[in-house]
Amino acid sequence: MTDATTSPTDTAVTHFKTCPLCEAMCGLAITVEGGAVTHVRGDADDVFSQGFICPKGAAIGQLHDDPDRLRAPRVKGDDGAWREVSWGDAFKAVDEGLRRVRQSGDRDALGVYLGNPNVHNLGGTLYVRPLLKTLGTRNIFSASTVDQMPRHVSCGLMFGSATTIPVPDLDRADYLLMLGANPWQSNGSLCTAPDFPGRLKALRARGGRLVVVDPRRSKTARRADEHLFIRPGTDVFLLVAMIHTLFEEGLVDPGAAAPHLKGLDEVRELVRPFSPDAVAPTTGIDADTTRRLARELAGASRAVVYGRIGVHTVPFGTLSSWACDVLTILTGNLDQPGGAMFPMEAHGVPRASAGGRGFQIGRWRSRVRQLPEALGELPVATLADEIETEGPGQIRALLTVAGNPVRSTPNSARLDAALASLDFMVSVDPYLNATTRHADVILPPPSPLERPHYDLAFAGFCVRNVSNYSPPIFQTQGPSECEILARLTLILAGQGPAADTAFVDAIMLNTLAGKAVSNPASPAHGRALPEVMAALGDRQGPERILDLMLRAGPYGDGFDPAAEGLSMAKLEANPHGIDLGPLKPRLPEVLKTPDGKVAMAPQPIVDDFDRLRSALSAEVSDALRLVGRRHLRSNNSWMHNVPLLVRGKNRCTLLLHPDDAAAHGIGDGDRVVVTSRVGSVEAPAEITEDIMPGVVSLPHGWGHDVEGIEMSVAAAHPGVNSNQLTDEASLDALSGNATLNAIPVTIALAI
Ligand SMILES: Nc1nc2c(c(=O)[nH]1)N[C@H]1C(S)=C(S)[C@@H](COP(=O)(O)OP(=O)(O)OC[C@H]3O[C@@H](n4cnc5c(=O)[nH]c(N)nc54)[C@H](O)[C@@H]3O)O[C@H]1N2
Ligand SMILES: Nc1nc2c(c(=O)[nH]1)N[C@H]1C(S)=C(S)[C@@H](COP(=O)(O)OP(=O)(O)OC[C@H]3O[C@@H](n4cnc5c(=O)[nH]c(N)nc54)[C@H](O)[C@@H]3O)O[C@H]1N2
Ligand code: SF4
Ligand SMILES: [Mo]
């Protein structure tokens, strides 16, 4: 199976590794003895996390040892039975299957779904791009459209690039308005901050104020200075009414950002109908409170508004994301310490001046529902349509990489049936689960402890600039995930199952190096390409690419061995990471809009206000609303097979308020049938005053009691799949993001 890089007879050795399981980037200290993990603790010397760890990180050894984790590729026979095969045979089976599909000449017949763990490993962050390019399909889907696509779209439109996302400068803020996020359990998202809870405690300890808006009194809400219940899906109205108040009361003062803004007057006009009094019946928050929040935000010296899942995965996700930034900007907190700031990641491309090509959405549309593309992908809420509906462009084969859409996307029962109808499916995944059971070939990547790690995705969302590389702790017999993806790329390029994967590396390296030497802002500017390649020495694979990015990056040594700057060698010599300091102001250089300004009122946002005005005048519905939640010991759908994490009481319960329980004759622990437009599930009731009347909550990622999966621990703690209730017809129209919160449902005692 696996061998320690140290031999099994060695005495205990402690390895340092950045945890790849969530966005927080905690440093782990992993002790290995006799070839096995014997102890995991937080790395007290990690420059960023300073010893913080959560139960998931502590369980990484159990994840690595999980006997259900696939170690060899699987191929499904004509009889439906799985066979373990060699890697060579598995890639041959992939080549044959894909060849059959591609013979039709319809490139769109092959679809792809990319799941969340892609952004937590070098395979996904480096090797997916060449794979997608080679695929040439328009049928690209990912977990982004059940998550943060609204944030990409609003930031893309305002700042010019979908990844130019300002993050709350947590450690210096003295006022934080948080909506729809529960970092006490999730450890944060699009705001990488190991020990997020500790940082919130510190904010309050230095006299700062934390206000949490959530239809549930979450753990974060309980530890805030103030918690406000809000009707699910209505945060946009609260936020826009706060903007209204800032204008009405003369509190608009963007400060140093002012010269870089465009469109302030349009914003004032847009929010005019949304007075605190007008929105109060919709949000359930009284007008005085809304005005007070706006005044507090304007009055605080260092303030920031942070919204996440609960405000993004709703019908006005993009407008909510936009409104959070507008509030931060109008109160003078954009690009200021303690406000919302733009990180400068070590592997990033240095820039000399503002301006760029800008960001567009809707460059093409989905075939069946005519939904707009965003970031080159289509909304996953329409994946089943594209599989089921006949005609040119119909998806007949699917590649999934690190995704479990049959648990994580809306109306997943329908998608489940659609996947069963495919001609061919390949999954790159370590588990045989609800999604991968439909595959014809499963290619399992190595465990997180068997691969190197560098957080290319999250370095750009950190509350401090940091750089951290960890080598693999164990060796793997099979290919790395990078090699798996590179091989798939070559198969798709028609090179067959055995071509040399170094070719894919070479193309990536040449492109990156060419850009670096011609970028006047890069320390590598002006160097000759052969000189750069020679400086990279004999590193291979992702480490070679990383070395190039780091050395040509904003802190890089520019390939000058005598220079002080960053390189892979430097990171290897610093296993606890390198702190590059607090976030620094980056306006205007960071802006990639064509005119180099912040677009405060981009046209697609202005257009979407039509929908918002109609929603304001619509009658307030009294339907019961379903929202989601996360638990510290759970990670979306895929860590329920780790015994340490599912211990204890059932966490997949339906939270409901005592008034709603009484109205339906439901007692604590009773089984409740929850029904939406698309389906029904049955879950045990947990009656609590921590949830708002009229709202019920069910976590996602559960429902492991299906035929044909090989997750024995999860199957014994199945829970129910909340995405049997979420509705694929309801989207944030602008970004195509699915609605996973504020779902209208009915409840009844199970008979
Ligand atoms: N109702 C509801 N639904 C939600 C959400 C919600 O709040 N409510 N949240 C949404 C969000 S934010 C997200 S990000 C999505 C997640 O959606 P997905 O990414 O589709 O689902 P995950 O549960 O993260 O499943 C990850 C898959 O990757 C596999 N995997 C784990 N590690 C690796 C690896 O290193 N390499 C590879 N190749 N595979 C790996 C796992 O076995 C699993 O099959 O779910 C979304 N769904
Ligand atoms: N332990 C753990 N950590 C995780 C994950 C996990 O599954 N488990 N998943 C990771 C991923 S992929 C992500 S994207 C992040 C997400 O991280 P967060 O954004 O912090 O997500 P949640 O913890 O689900 O918190 C969402 C909150 O929104 C509230 N909410 C629901 N609807 C509304 C609404 O309409 N308005 C408002 N104001 N609030 C609402 C819910 O009650 C809940 O408390 O977490 C990451 N970290
Ligand atoms: S908070 Fe996230 S990064 Fe930190 S140990 Fe837990 S799972 Fe790992
Ligand atoms: Mo996510």
Side-chain angles (χ1 to χ4, degrees):
M1 229 177 338
T2 53
D3 299 306
T5 44
T6 49
S7 89
T9 50
D10 279 347
T11 47
V13 178
T14 298
H15 302 262
F16 301 101
K17 180 149 198 109
T18 311
C19 176
L21 298 174
C22 89
E23 300 183 30
M25 277 177 65
C26 300
L28 304 178
I30 301 174
T31 306
V32 174
E33 203 173 345
V37 173
T38 52
H39 192 60
V40 181
R41 60 188 161 81
D43 173 11
D45 297 321
D46 185 277
V47 294
F48 199 18
S49 62
Q50 291 159 358
F52 180 81
I53 187 170
C54 89
K56 293 187 297 301
I60 202 164
Q62 278 202 353
L63 186 68
H64 172 75
D65 291 334
D66 185 350
D68 287 336
R69 185 170 64 75
L70 304 180
R71 266 84 171 172
R74 293 279 186 101
V75 173
K76 199 185 275 166
D78 292 337
D79 56 356
W82 288 107
R83 274 183 301 123
E84 257 188 23
V85 298
S86 69
W87 280 96
D89 285 349
F91 283 117
K92 260 189 227 148
V94 173
D95 188 41
E96 281 162 23
L98 292 181
R99 215 176 273 276
R100 278 200 310 276
V101 176
R102 302 196 105 203
Q103 258 160 12
S104 69
D106 185 349
R107 293 184 84 90
D108 295 328
L110 177 55
V112 56
Y113 175 81
L114 304 166
N116 170 274
N118 274 303
V119 287
H120 295 275
N121 79 60
L122 286 168
T125 46
L126 286 175
Y127 289 80
V128 157
R129 195 169 297 179
L131 176 74
L132 293 182
K133 263 203 160 148
T134 314
L135 261 170
T137 177
R138 285 195 169 181
N139 282 317
I140 299 171
F141 304 84
S142 86
S144 293
T145 51
V146 279
D147 188 348
Q148 82 290 357
M149 191 57 93
R151 190 99 190 101
H152 287 307
V153 170
S154 82
C155 290
L157 294 171
M158 292 178 89
F159 308 117
S161 140
T163 49
T164 305
I165 297 179
V167 303
D169 185 15
L170 274 190
D171 298 341
R172 292 181 288 182
D174 62 14
Y175 189 95
L176 175 58
L177 173 62
M178 184 184 302
L179 309 99
N182 185 14
W184 229 282
Q185 306 275 1
S186 70
N187 280 299
S189 180
L190 296 183
C191 175
T192 286
D195 194 12
F196 208 126
R199 291 171 202 263
L200 293 181
K201 279 189 216 157
L203 179 152
R204 295 187 62 202
R206 63 178 177 265
R209 187 170 167 79
L210 170 65
V211 179
V212 171
V213 178
D214 197 305
R216 183 171 64 97
R217 195 176 296 111
S218 64
K219 198 164 181 185
T220 308
R222 282 202 294 276
R223 282 153 182 77
D225 294 280
E226 182 177 3
H227 167 233
L228 294 163
F229 280 134
I230 189 162
R231 289 220 171 85
T234 69
D235 300 73
V236 63
F237 295 100
L238 169 70
L239 295 163
V240 167
M242 286 175 65
I243 301 173
H244 176 106
T245 304
L246 293 179
F247 279 110
E248 190 177 63
E249 301 190 0
L251 298 173
V252 171
D253 180 8
H260 309 296
L261 307 180
K262 205 182 76 177
L264 271 192
D265 292 338
E266 280 116 303
V267 175
R268 177 201 303 263
E269 285 314 305
L270 278 175
V271 302
R272 204 179 282 284
F274 301 90
S275 70
D277 295 284
V279 305
T282 307
T283 58
I285 294 177
D286 66 75
D288 285 346
T289 302
T290 303
R291 284 194 198 93
R292 174 175 56 80
L293 289 179
R295 289 175 200 140
E296 283 178 11
L297 195 65
S301 56
R302 297 168 160 209
V304 60
V305 183
Y306 170 65
R308 210 36 202 102
I309 283 293
V311 298
H312 293 150
T313 58
V314 290
F316 291 105
T318 307
L319 287 191
S320 303
S321 169
W322 168 84
C324 286
D325 287 333
V326 169
L327 281 168
T328 300
I329 294 170
L330 297 183
T331 52
N333 291 298
L334 179 67
D335 203 41
Q336 291 295 307
M341 301 194 77
F342 299 98
M344 185 68 245
E345 68 269 40
H347 68 277
V349 178
R351 287 165 55 83
S353 56
R357 273 193 307 196
F359 173 76
Q360 282 181 316
I361 40 174
R363 290 169 298 174
W364 57 87
R365 292 192 168 255
S366 69
R367 182 177 63 104
V368 180
R369 283 165 66 186
Q370 297 297 306
L371 297 171
E373 155 277 345
L375 251 88
E377 57 182 89
L378 296 170
V380 71
T382 195
L383 174 55
D385 298 302
E386 296 296 336
I387 297 172
E388 290 167 356
T389 313
E390 288 180 14
Q394 179 186 12
I395 298 177
R396 293 312 312 145
L398 187 69
L399 168 65
T400 70
V401 185
N404 192 5
V406 172
R407 282 297 163 271
S408 52
T409 70
N411 196 356
S412 52
R414 179 178 167 200
L415 184 64
D416 196 19
L419 295 194
S421 74
L422 289 168
D423 294 336
F424 189 64
M425 177 167 153
V426 182
S427 293
V428 182
D429 204 287
Y431 282 105
L432 180 39
N433 63 20
T435 295
T436 60
R437 74 193 161 122
H438 293 298
D440 295 286
V441 184
I442 306 179
L443 306 170
S447 97
L449 301 186
E450 294 165 328
R451 64 179 195 232
H453 191 63
Y454 189 98
D455 259 297
L456 286 175
F458 300 105
F461 304 125
C462 286
V463 298
R464 280 183 80 83
N465 290 314
V466 289
S467 189
N468 214 326
Y469 166 80
S470 2
I473 297 176
F474 297 107
Q475 283 164 359
T476 171
Q477 304 302 318
S480 70
E481 185 145 9
C482 298
E483 288 168 308
I484 295 173
L485 296 174
R487 193 156 299 293
L488 289 175
T489 305
L490 294 172
I491 287 175
L492 287 162
Q495 307 285 310
D500 185 359
T501 55
F503 180 68
V504 178
D505 290 345
I507 291 184
M508 275 197 271
L509 277 167
N510 282 331
T511 312
L512 285 167
K515 283 185 182 160
V517 297
S518 59
N519 176 2
S522 167
H525 182 239
R527 292 213 177 256
L529 278 182
E531 192 192 349
V532 169
M533 293 302 169
L536 293 174
D538 44 9
R539 279 181 214 283
Q540 296 300 321
E543 280 93 346
R544 188 171 172 85
I545 299 172
L546 260 178
D547 198 31
L548 171 62
M549 290 169 135
L550 293 167
R551 299 176 77 176
Y555 313 90
D557 72 2
F559 306 100
D560 175 354
E564 272 298 296
L566 271 192
S567 62
M568 273 294 291
K570 202 132 204 188
L571 290 185
E572 281 165 339
N574 289 274
H576 309 288
I578 294 181
D579 181 28
L580 300 165
L583 304 184
K584 293 199 182 72
R586 288 191 62 192
L587 283 182
E589 147 274 317
V590 74
L591 300 173
K592 294 183 184 162
T593 45
D595 61 2
K597 302 277 185 209
V598 178
M600 296 293 286
Q603 196 57 44
I605 296 279
V606 173
D607 294 344
D608 208 28
F609 262 78
D610 283 345
R611 211 162 52 94
L612 197 67
R613 281 185 292 268
S614 319
L616 184 66
S617 52
E619 209 167 301
V620 178
S621 147
D622 59 1
L624 203 57
R625 299 281 168 165
L626 172 74
V627 299
R629 68 177 188 273
R630 282 174 164 72
H631 190 279
L632 184 61
R633 289 173 179 270
S634 176
N635 197 18
N636 296 327
S637 73
W638 70 275
M639 286 182 68
H640 299 146
N641 212 52
V642 179
L644 266 175
L645 299 178
V646 287
R647 253 193 344 216
K649 67 174 191 145
N650 178 11
R651 288 185 277 269
C652 189
T653 57
L654 183 79
L655 302 184
L656 78 168
H657 189 270
D659 294 353
D660 292 314
H664 292 85
I666 294 166
D668 201 52
D670 284 349
R671 296 204 63 83
V672 181
V673 180
V674 191
T675 305
S676 74
R677 184 189 77 89
V678 302
S680 268
V681 300
E682 203 179 294
E686 186 175 337
I687 300 175
T688 167
E689 299 213 334
D690 282 343
I691 193 135
M692 215 179 151
V695 181
V696 292
S697 162
L698 202 56
H700 73 284
W702 297 89
H704 305 296
D705 49 351
V706 283
E707 286 281 301
I709 70 166
E710 288 182 22
M711 297 179 79
S712 50
V713 178
H717 302 80
V720 295
N721 172 17
S722 68
N723 283 315
Q724 265 168 251
L725 298 170
T726 50
D727 187 341
E728 80 278 31
S730 171
L731 296 180
D732 168 36
L734 200 44
S735 64
N737 206 80
T739 299
L740 305 172
N741 283 292
I743 313 296
V745 290
T746 56
I747 54 172
L749 195 61
I751 30 169

